[in-house]
């Protein structure tokens, strides 16, 4: 009944755990389902059929495993873009093409651009949006050349994070100091 349980050679999700040159585990992840409760009302648990390597036996594992393994390549990649602690930011340097840009600084509880006081609520909202930011679209081939936009966040001890961006007709390509070798695409 391997095909009925989706643990056959053409129906299973194959999972191999390899350490060095050794195969530590060889699994066939199959169909998932729910177990009825003993009282007859509702569901008591979920299960997945599993076959180990080339053995004949099929086991029931109390968990949904298919969703843990049956994913695309990019689902496995770290999508961290920023992790900022807004209260630790004291200075934000915005650099744009043709030497344009500006710097905002926190002096006490007040944010300023040069001698001008700016809305602290807007700055806090901006920093809150970037406090825990993931981006989902990873770009395989980065654009050549220097970034067109750079935002540097600084604290008392120096740089906390650096964000870089390359504009395009559609989505921008972005990179952050949290993952300096990963490029993202974003239209936001």
């Amino acid at each position: 009944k391997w095909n009925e349980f989706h643990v056959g050679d053409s129906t299973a999700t194959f999972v191999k755990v390899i350490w060095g040159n050794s195969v530590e585990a060889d699994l066939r992840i199959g169909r998932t389902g729910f177990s009825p409760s003993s009282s007859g009302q509702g569901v008591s648990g979920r299960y997945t059929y599993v076959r180990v390597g080339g053995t004949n036996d099929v086991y029931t594992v109390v968990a949904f495993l298919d969703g843990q393994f049956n994913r695309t390549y990019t689902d496995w990649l770290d999508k961290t873009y920023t992790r900022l602690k807004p209260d630790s930011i004291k200075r934000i340097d915005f650099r744009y093409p043709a030497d344009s840009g500006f710097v905002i600084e926190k002096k006490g509880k007040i944010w300023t651009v040069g001698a001008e006081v700016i809305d602290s609520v807007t700055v806090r909202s901006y920093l809150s949006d970037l406090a825990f930011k993931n981006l989902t679209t990873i770009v395989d081939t980065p654009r050549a050349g220097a970034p067109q936009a750079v935002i540097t966040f600084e604290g008392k001890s120096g740089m906390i994070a650096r964000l870089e961006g390359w504009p395009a007709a559609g989505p921008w390509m972005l990179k952050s100091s949290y993952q300096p070798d990963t490029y993202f695409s974003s239209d936001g």
Side-chain angles (χ1 to χ4, degrees), residues 45-63:
R46 50 191 181 214
Y47 61 85
T48 302
Y49 292 112
V50 176
R51 183 166 62 104
V52 179
T55 64
N56 292 327
D57 296 332
V58 177
Y59 299 93
T60 304
V61 177
V62 182

Side-chain angles (χ1 to χ4, degrees), residues 10-185:
S10 64
T11 55
T13 297
F14 288 74
V15 176
K16 279 192 180 187
V17 178
I18 300 171
W19 184 264
N21 293 327
S22 173
V23 175
E24 300 293 318
D26 184 5
L27 306 172
R28 310 296 189 266
I29 308 297
R31 194 179 81 216
T32 60
F34 293 98
S35 303
S37 70
S38 57
S39 67
Q41 297 180 355
V43 175
S44 68
R46 50 191 181 214
Y47 61 85
T48 302
Y49 292 112
V50 176
R51 183 166 62 104
V52 179
T55 64
N56 292 327
D57 296 332
V58 177
Y59 299 93
T60 304
V61 177
V62 182
F64 276 158
L65 297 178
D66 187 56
Q68 299 301 314
F69 298 106
N70 209 0
R71 298 176 177 212
T72 65
Y73 171 73
T74 58
D75 289 339
W76 293 95
L77 300 177
D78 183 359
K79 296 175 181 67
T80 301
Y81 184 61
T82 59
R83 297 294 186 265
L84 296 174
K85 294 179 182 173
D87 293 338
S88 68
I89 307 294
K90 304 297 179 203
R91 184 175 192 269
I92 309 170
D93 186 345
F94 296 87
R95 292 290 157 213
Y96 300 114
D99 295 328
S100 65
F102 58 94
V103 174
I104 63 175
E105 293 185 87
K106 189 173 186 181
K107 297 177 181 172
K109 293 187 177 194
I110 298 170
W111 285 96
T112 62
V113 173
E116 297 289 321
V117 174
I118 60 174
D119 184 12
S120 294
V121 173
T122 301
V123 176
R124 274 196 306 268
S125 175
Y126 172 73
L127 290 173
S128 292
D129 287 346
L130 291 172
F132 188 90
K133 187 80 168 172
N134 288 343
L135 295 177
T136 57
T137 306
I138 295 174
V139 178
D140 290 333
T141 308
R143 290 202 181 95
Q148 296 290 315
V150 177
I151 304 169
T152 306
F153 299 89
E154 298 176 13
K156 288 181 181 179
S157 302
M159 187 184 87
I160 294 173
R162 177 181 166 104
L163 309 179
E164 298 176 353
W166 292 259
W172 277 55
M173 186 179 67
L174 303 172
K175 174 174 109 161
S176 80
S177 56
Y178 289 92
Q179 290 205 72
D181 297 326
T182 303
Y183 293 83
F184 298 94
S185 175

